[in-house]
Amino acid sequence: MTLDANQILALAPDPASAKAGSQLAVPRNWSNLGRSEAALWGECQGSGKTPYRTQIDLGGPAFKCTCPSRKFPCKHGLGLYLLRTAEPALFDPVDEPAWVRDWLQGRQMRQEKKTPAEVTPEAAVAAAAQARKREEKREDKVSAGLLELQTWLHDLAREGLASVRSRGQGFWDAIAARMADAQAAPLARRLRRAGSLLYQSGLRNAEGLAANELASLYLLAQAWQRIDQLAPALQADVRALLGWTLSQDDVLRQPAVTDQWCVLAQSTFDDERLRVRATWLLGARTGRWALHLQYAVGTQGFDVQLAPGTAFDGDLCFYPSAWPLRAQIRRHGDVGPAPADLEPSGLDGLLDTYADALAAQPFLERLPVLLGGLVPDEADHGIVRDAQCRRIALHPSFRHPLHLLALSGGHPLTVCGEWDGRMLLPLSVRHEGRWYNIDSDFPS
Amino acid sequence: MSDDARQLQQLLKIGMARAGRPPAGLAAPLDGLLPADAGAAPEATLWLSLGALDLWERGGFVPPDQPAPRPAPVAAPETLRPCPPRAQAVLAQLLRGLHPAGLEAEWLRLLHRHGGHLPVHVLPKLLDAGTRQPALRAPLLPVLGERGHWLARLQREWSWAGDDTDAASWETGSPEQRVAALRSWRARDPQAARAALAAAWPSEPPDQRAALLATLSTALGPDDETFLDAALDDRRKEVRTVAQRLLARLPQSQLAQRMVERLLPLLRLERPLLRAARIDLTLPDALDAAMRRDGIGAAPHPGLGEKAGWVVDMLAAVDPDVWPRHFDRPPRGCLALAEHSEFATVFVRGWALALQRHAQDDPSPRLQAWLRDVTAWWLAVPAQREAVPDSVFDVAAAHFAQDADGASSALFDALPGKWIADGACVHLLARLAAGAADTWPATLSRHAMRRLYPVLPALADTGHPWLVRQLLSSLALVLDPATAAAFDPLRVPDAQWQSAVDAFFDLVRLRHEMTLSFQETA
């Protein structure tokens, strides 16, 4: 399958590449264009003497180019793909030249090899002993850090949020830095965020939101103190929330779930020095949700290209959790359009599922959902109504109520979003068989 | 949020030290979670209670009971055709700013010609664009479709695209909205709109009267004369000027008649033996109160004597179409008469100003002929170019694409061989291209390309590179894309100019693709 121009531009690592790519999508720049079932290729005259060889594996899509750019995909890859959508007639179906065939075969082989590496028993034992030592040291540090956090929160309870207000963001940054030293980086991030909620968000109930967030941190600290009494799956959640990470290999060793995975929503945001791309996948047959996270530094692109509105046959391995959502892709098979008959749920189903999820994993913040029958309210742009006219509040960070209204025209819509127990954050909308991904299709 | 949660949050805000009390125990059924006798610190109890209540409320959330609202009107089904997918893809790239600006309006006109309506997901963005750039509104309105008009009601700034609410915005809108409302009211019902303005006139703030009065230029007719004539005595000069100009545009108005009566005795057609015919002008003696009231001598004309300036004012107030009839020759003949006169500047400037005022809202063929003849005269008589005020070419540009009689095309044919070396000429052509309201027709484009194409290799030597670049970029936006794309892209000797020439052909090609994207069956 080939993507449309919008989906291709969404693959660009930054707006400059998107622009440069579209400017390259004119025939003048290209020679030796060709296509096969699996791939597109062409040669692009750059500033050097020899033209760059650009190729695209349509199955991924995956890009390769001989240019020295470290952006990925580079402007030549984007330009080649855009040229194909603009002027399909320029690409004759011919035999793949050797440089294309070799690359495709190499990709195929790496794909097959992507099962975790085997290790010898002795090496495993030695590594495990070393890891255990490191682990104990880290656990001690985290324990000490969390005791400090509890003391800090006790002080805060006595003094009151109102009286620490005058101390500014620095007050929050200090305890956050302490948590970073204690190797509990996620806590540092959440504390800084709680502080900026009070000072910068301008939300009406900012203090209430900060109070709930801090209480949740307090519960987490308590859970850590008696982690041995928790079920193993929930232990994994607590450890993940405190900053323990699993290696990709460890995740890929988990049993896989095979399904047709629909790419329903995607958002890209900055998290300190990293760019994060969060993609929600829904299994068409199992109805399971999966969150796929990718990280990139600087102008680097993301390695796996998942275009909203498409679906792929594949195997996902979930991170261990009492309510598993985050997953890695073990096998990324054929890509096609997302099926049109995905069954959305109603509000009652969502509320039941959310209650079940919280009972299993009380630290869960947001749950993905595909909600049907939603009509955006004409007068109050902060809510939508379900089929029974019940009000569903939209998250204050949602900036596109008028786009929802435009797509709806007063008729019901199907929305994919995140539910936090009180409010819905729409991430994508299905309209007349097409998925509109809010982050990329409606840039603000 | 429950009262319990609110009280706990309040306690956290004040602080337990200042409140002087521990948190109240959780109500049933959560009371078993934190037994009061466990000896826990009250601070811990506060945090744990907050956490437990938050989970309890999120887990058991039910949407608040709300009376069902009045059923809202649903957008009607579209009657126009949908936008072809490839055209949508082009629009998406335009909206991302990936192409030179200025193509949106052309895309919208192509959609209108296709008989289509905008895809609904771009409506908010384009309504915002139309709010920021009023020039986009005219091409947007016919393609908004049912959904667009339905949506525009929901946002105050989009009221320009909403349904018919002129009367309401006239009553209560901001000054700009009232002017816009009055103008669109004029277009629908000139008499009623004027009556509304006349009724409100005494109470209108003086500084807004001029802008309001100017809306009468829409659908101006003989019935407006009485009201305008009264405004000639307004205390504000701006209001008087508007009234004078509008009255001058009514050929049967008393003001226009007065002007002709003042002018005719001053003019005499001379036909000297063996020399070209010319107009002789006798300057008026004095400026009386009646002349002043009609706007004569209101502002000086730089470079002209005072009395000559009065004649310019009189000429500017007379429909230019009077003169071909009076002298019994076409506009270019009138210009030739003026050219040989001692007062050539007076005549040409007066006629050009009159054209600028009259032709703005009146695309009648007679005035078009005048515009083209003034432009051709300007090109042909470089020595007297200063007589023509620059702004008349903006009016000429707006109507330049009407080429039914081939006069616009002929302008290109008449260019001298070395036209590219004439900076003022390059500037004029760029201005005609930049001011166009729509794409030039194929014939006109072909005539333009035939003159442009041979000079492309020599662009480096013109001596006014900036003007030439402006001409290239304006022409790339206005030429008929199919006609221009039929010319092969050129290699030129100079690398810097190569990029400008490439940009020209790329843009032409892009516009050609854009046109084709509407022709594919959806």
Side-chain angles (χ1 to χ4, degrees), chain A residues 135-151 178-179 181-184 187 220-228 239 242 244:
Chain A
E135 183 62 6
E136 280 166 9
K137 218 165 138 192
R138 178 166 183 188
E139 286 175 357
D140 291 346
K141 274 185 142 178
V142 169
S143 299
L146 286 179
L147 275 178
E148 273 186 69
L149 177 62
Q150 277 195 323
T151 313
R178 189 56 209 102
M179 290 304 109
D181 287 347
Q183 293 194 317
L187 297 190
L220 188 59
Q222 285 251 317
W224 172 252
Q225 280 158 13
R226 45 190 198 88
I227 190 162
D228 297 337
R239 293 171 70 86
L242 289 173
W244 267 275

Side-chain angles (χ1 to χ4, degrees), chain A residues 381 402, chain B residues 127-128 151-160:
Chain A
H381 293 180
L402 288 163
Chain B
L127 285 167
D128 277 343
L151 188 68
R153 305 170 301 135
L154 304 180
Q155 188 79 332
R156 257 180 65 94
E157 302 89 84
W158 296 346
S159 57
W160 55 269

Side-chain angles (χ1 to χ4, degrees), chain A residues 6 22 28 86-87 153 157-158 160-162 207 218 354 362 364 378 391 406-407 409 411 421-422 436, chain B residues 9 12-13 15-17 43-44 47 54-55 57-58 61 66 74-75 86 96 98 121 147 153 506 509 513:
Chain A
N6 234 352
S22 341
R28 177 161 51 75
E87 302 191 40
L153 286 169
R158 270 194 304 279
L161 276 178
E207 278 178 343
Y218 195 90
Y354 192 72
L364 188 79
E378 273 189 20
R391 291 162 57 98
L407 292 175
H411 302 284
R422 295 187 174 94
Y436 293 92
Chain B
Q9 289 187 356
L12 177 64
K13 186 176 175 182
M16 284 162 47
E43 295 87 356
W47 285 118
D54 180 42
L55 280 172
E57 289 184 7
R58 274 156 65 209
F61 178 83
Q66 281 281 326
V74 166
R86 274 192 61 196
R96 278 167 183 265
L98 298 178
H121 66 277
R147 185 66 58 90
R153 305 170 301 135
D506 284 350
R509 205 192 144 82
E513 274 169 32

Side-chain angles (χ1 to χ4, degrees), chain A residues 370-384:
Chain A
L370 187 61
L371 266 181
L374 299 187
V375 181
D377 194 275
E378 273 189 20
D380 181 351
H381 293 180
I383 64 165
V384 293

